[in-house]
Amino acid sequence: MIRNATTSAAEKTMIRVWDLPVRLFHWLLAGTILVAFVSSEEESPLAPWHVPAGWIVAVLIVFRLVWGFVGGEHARFADFLRPAQLLHHLGGLLAGKPARSVGHNALGGVAILALLGTVGGVVYTGITVQGEGEGLHEGLANLLIGLIVLHVVAVVAMSLLTRENLTRAFVTGRKRADLHPGAGDAQPPLTIALPLATIAIGAAAYGATVIDRTAFIPGAHMGAGGDHQAGEDDND
């Protein structure tokens, strides 16, 4: 009984914020993008994984778009896309006293849109653009690197300014309750969320193989000179 009471008291010091699927998405996307960048050089031992990594990223993006409507409370777009609060947040940030946010803050919401949009652009150009147009793909990839660096710096800065470990929260899914008075556990994903997300993932993966039959096969897109050849029609 004492042990149960102690456990219950400990749980009350934390609130649930991030659902498991959105956390898995976050870290899988980060890892897959890292693989895509490392494998972009022809001499890289991971070069055969460059195109499959891009297709995996595409599937992950489809999942996130769906989860943004049916996922947990703070994973939904409606929760963190708040243009009206952007100026207030920027004012507090410039003053060195940004307000804590249970989920993403207003500026973080803008950053998420920018990252998802840029990732989508990188994937799209990687699939459709060939030859001289590859400069656009590389340019967007470099822009993505810059946004990721800015994102990491912002997370570290906000963690220091608000005295809240935001990275740890995206690992455990929880935040300290005492730092967010009055806040309760986040609403869970909708009942249809997991079935709908599963269908979306399956449809996205199938669509990838319709466009490119060897989408997820490492090394299948390496040309004779070792260069990547994504999205080419191999049906003729």
Side-chain angles (χ1 to χ4, degrees):
M1 292 293 292
I2 295 177
R3 183 177 180 179
N4 290 337
T6 302
T7 302
S8 178
E11 289 177 348
K12 290 181 180 178
T13 65
M14 307 295 290
I15 54 174
R16 289 192 293 270
V17 178
W18 306 114
D19 59 64
L20 180 59
V22 80
R23 284 181 280 144
L24 289 175
F25 160 81
H26 181 275
W27 297 113
L28 285 173
L29 182 66
T32 309
I33 288 176
L34 178 61
V35 170
F37 276 120
V38 172
S39 63
S40 62
E41 298 296 328
E42 297 172 8
E43 299 79 10
S44 171
L46 291 177
W49 283 92
H50 184 70
V51 174
W55 280 114
I56 293 171
V57 167
V59 173
L60 288 171
I61 293 298
V62 170
F63 162 80
R64 187 62 182 94
L65 292 177
V66 172
W67 206 250
F69 294 98
V70 299
E73 178 180 357
H74 300 300
R76 298 173 196 166
F77 296 129
D79 182 74
F80 58 80
L81 296 182
R82 305 186 297 269
Q85 298 183 20
L86 188 56
L87 289 179
H88 175 74
H89 175 73
L90 286 173
L93 188 61
L94 293 175
K97 297 179 180 180
R100 295 189 182 97
S101 177
V102 179
H104 294 299
N105 58 50
L107 189 58
V110 174
I112 290 173
L113 282 186
L115 284 166
L116 291 178
T118 305
V119 170
V122 173
V123 172
Y124 179 76
T125 55
I127 295 169
T128 62
V129 175
Q130 300 292 329
E132 296 180 357
E134 290 182 359
L136 176 60
H137 177 66
E138 295 178 0
L140 286 173
N142 290 331
L143 173 61
L144 179 59
I145 293 175
L147 289 175
I148 291 173
V149 171
L150 184 61
H151 171 66
V152 172
V153 171
V155 169
V156 172
M158 286 298 296
S159 294
L160 294 173
L161 290 171
T162 61
R163 298 185 178 182
E164 183 172 38
N165 192 326
L166 300 180
T167 301
R168 183 175 62 188
F170 238 101
V171 173
T172 65
R174 297 171 180 268
K175 288 187 174 184
R176 287 172 50 187
D178 62 304
L179 296 180
H180 302 278
D185 289 336
Q187 297 175 7
L190 300 181
T191 304
I192 63 169
L194 285 177
L196 194 60
T198 300
I199 293 172
I201 291 172
Y206 175 73
T209 59
V210 169
I211 297 172
D212 179 358
R213 289 187 301 177
T214 58
F216 302 105
I217 301 177
H221 307 84
M222 302 295 291
D227 55 322
H228 301 110
Q229 299 178 353
E232 292 188 352
D233 188 359
D234 56 358
N235 292 322
D236 53 14

